[in-house]
Each structure stands twice: as C-alpha cells, then as structure tokens.
Amino acid sequence: MEVSKAVSERKSIRSFLDKKVSNELIKELLHKSARSPSGGNLQPWKIYVINNESMKKFLHFQEKWTKPETPAYDIYPPKLKEPYRTSRFELGEKMYELLEIPREDKDGRIAQVMKNFRFFDAPCAFFCFVDRQMGPPQWSDLGMFLQTFMLLAKEAGLDTCAQEAWSMKHDSVSEFVQADQEDILFCGMCIGYQDETQKVNSLNSDRRPLQDWAKFL
Ligand SMILES: Cc1cc2nc3c(=O)[nH]c(=O)nc-3n(C[C@H](O)[C@H](O)[C@H](O)COP(=O)(O)O)c2cc1C
C-alpha cells in the first residue's frame, strides 16, 4: 500500500466487528512501528496490549471498578482558543448529527462517549504509557509512534481509533496492566475491523485549509 493511500484511508473508527485480531499480527505491527523516529532515539513509548482473554478480563474489571479517578492530564487546555475550539465543536456536532443525537439528549451523548470505555467494541487494543519524567518532546514522539502504527494497521487491513478518553481512567488502567508507578497513561488504541454498517464510521472529519496553518516565506 502506498503511504499516501494509507494516510488518506486511515480514519478514526468507532464501531468494530466481532472479528479477532491475532497477537502475532499486533506484534509485527508494533515491531515495525518502533522504526518511528524519536528525539535522541529515546523510544519513550511503553505499550500494553489487551486481546482475547485479557480483553474480556479488562472489560469485566472496568465494570467492577467504582473508585473515583483523577484524570492523568487535561485532554484540552481549559480555555481552548480559536480556531481549535471551533474544530473540536464541529467534529462533535458532525458526529452527533450523523447519529441523530440532539444536544438536548444529554444521556444519549454521554452514552456515545461512554462507548470509549468499551473500546467501541474493538476486539483488541493497547494502552500507551510514558515515563512521567518525559516532557512535550517525548510526548510528541509517542504521536509519531502511534501514527506509524495506525498507518501500518491500515496497510494490514485493520482499523483503529486513538483514545485520550482513557486518561480519565488512569488509575484503573494502571492497576490492570500493572504499570510502573513512574509511568503515566497517554492513550488507548482500539484495533480491529470496522463495522461498515454503522453510521458512526461514515464520519469524515474536516481539516482547516493549508493557508490557515502554513506559511511559505
Ligand atoms: C491522540 C489522540 C487521541 C484521541 N482520543 C480520542 C478519544 O478519546 N475518543 C475518540 O472518539 N476519538 C479520539 N481521537 C480521534 C480524533 O477525534 C480524530 O483523530 C480526529 O477527529 C480526526 O479524525 P480522523 O482520525 O477520523 O481523521 C483521538 C485522536 C488522537 C490522535
């Protein structure tokens, strides 16, 4: 698959088929993804894969977890500036319009958000952690790793959705995967085969025009 094709075809998938993904394939994709660049070659990513039995156990564990959790970090700045605020708002509105969940239907919208915590029914997933010692440069390295993984997954016929939502479940996820105390959870990654019959997967996110964010001097 051409890189351009993988880039244009990758999109966030929020409903998956009940179709297994082998650990061997995930291992191969992770191995290849580790060719991602990182400043000073630190390779700061720490990955925990859950699949098959561990996925069943994890979902069961999540259901039983009742302790309140402190979010690992602010997903967005508290006062998100323009144009970012509008981009975020438009994405949400586009998705809820597609799903026919009006703004007044607060429960409906919350129920959609909560699907994050079942990995949108993906059969396989991973969590990406990083040592708390690391700062913005190393967090950006995680992004490179994650995008490389998502493109390679596309090439392998798989679909994905990165999930910062899991930062709200830092404690329970850390306990389940037995993460090192020094590590912080950045995000989850749903992995599987998209359910093409589900409207949510027809969502196509917009991009701001190039002249708004690139200047040629
Ligand atoms: C690091 C990261 C975290 C994300 N977290 C979530 C999430 O928690 N839940 C979700 O539904 N989508 C999440 N997304 C998906 C974004 O909303 C999506 O990438 C963006 O709207 C662009 O759409 P596209 O991926 O389909 O191109 C995340 C994406 C990234 C890169």
Side-chain angles (χ1 to χ4, degrees):
M1 184 182 246
E2 296 268 335
V3 178
S4 295
K5 192 169 156 66
V7 170
S8 66
E9 289 189 2
R10 183 219 57 83
K11 62 178 201 166
S12 296
I13 290 303
R14 298 183 178 88
S15 180
F16 290 84
L17 295 173
D18 181 16
K19 183 176 166 187
K20 286 188 175 184
V21 182
S22 75
N23 272 341
E24 285 65 38
L25 178 54
I26 300 301
K27 198 181 266 182
E28 185 191 324
L29 296 176
L30 289 172
H31 191 66
K32 286 184 181 171
S33 303
R35 294 307 308 170
S36 304
S38 57
N41 201 22
L42 260 58
Q43 306 157 63
W45 41 82
K46 291 193 179 186
I47 304 295
Y48 296 88
V49 179
I50 52 174
N51 200 4
N52 303 316
E53 271 312 297
S54 56
M55 175 59 87
K56 272 189 215 148
K57 277 191 192 152
F58 176 75
L59 294 176
H60 186 68
F61 174 84
Q62 268 299 319
E63 276 165 22
K64 302 274 170 254
W65 180 283
T66 49
K67 292 180 231 170
E69 304 195 36
T70 313
Y73 57 87
D74 288 335
I75 295 183
Y76 304 106
K79 285 185 183 156
L80 194 58
K81 290 181 193 167
E82 291 299 348
Y84 315 110
R85 195 169 184 271
T86 297
S87 291
R88 183 186 172 200
F89 177 80
E90 284 177 353
L91 174 82
E93 287 310 304
K94 207 172 175 182
M95 185 174 77
Y96 292 124
E97 195 181 317
L98 196 66
L99 296 173
E100 296 173 54
I101 312 176
R103 198 160 319 151
E104 314 76 70
D105 184 3
K106 296 257 184 298
D107 290 348
R109 289 191 172 201
I110 289 170
Q112 177 58 31
V113 172
M114 293 309 283
K115 289 185 182 174
N116 268 288
F117 303 116
R118 296 194 59 79
F119 295 109
F120 302 113
D121 293 330
C124 177
F126 68 66
F127 289 111
C128 178
F129 282 74
V130 65
D131 194 302
R132 286 174 196 274
Q133 184 187 42
M134 304 299 176
Q138 291 76 39
W139 282 61
S140 87
D141 294 339
L142 301 182
M144 304 219 191
F145 176 89
L146 296 166
Q147 169 72 338
T148 304
F149 179 88
M150 291 191 280
L151 296 181
L152 289 168
K154 194 72 239 178
E155 184 189 50
L158 288 167
D159 295 295
T160 53
C161 186
Q163 295 179 289
E164 287 160 335
W166 284 107
S167 63
M168 292 184 262
K169 304 261 182 185
H170 181 269
D171 299 346
S172 52
V173 172
S174 299
E175 182 172 316
F176 185 85
V177 305
Q178 298 188 313
D180 291 342
Q181 286 285 312
E182 310 92 84
D183 295 344
I184 178 167
L185 171 62
F186 170 40
C187 68
M189 177 71 72
C190 305
I191 309 163
Y193 299 92
Q194 66 172 292
D195 183 345
E196 290 178 4
T197 66
Q198 295 301 309
K199 272 198 222 159
V200 71
N201 289 339
S202 64
L203 176 66
N204 284 312
S205 58
D206 299 320
R207 295 295 185 268
R208 293 194 297 276
L210 182 134
Q211 62 270 23
D212 288 7
W213 46 265
K215 286 195 176 78
F216 288 75
L217 308 179

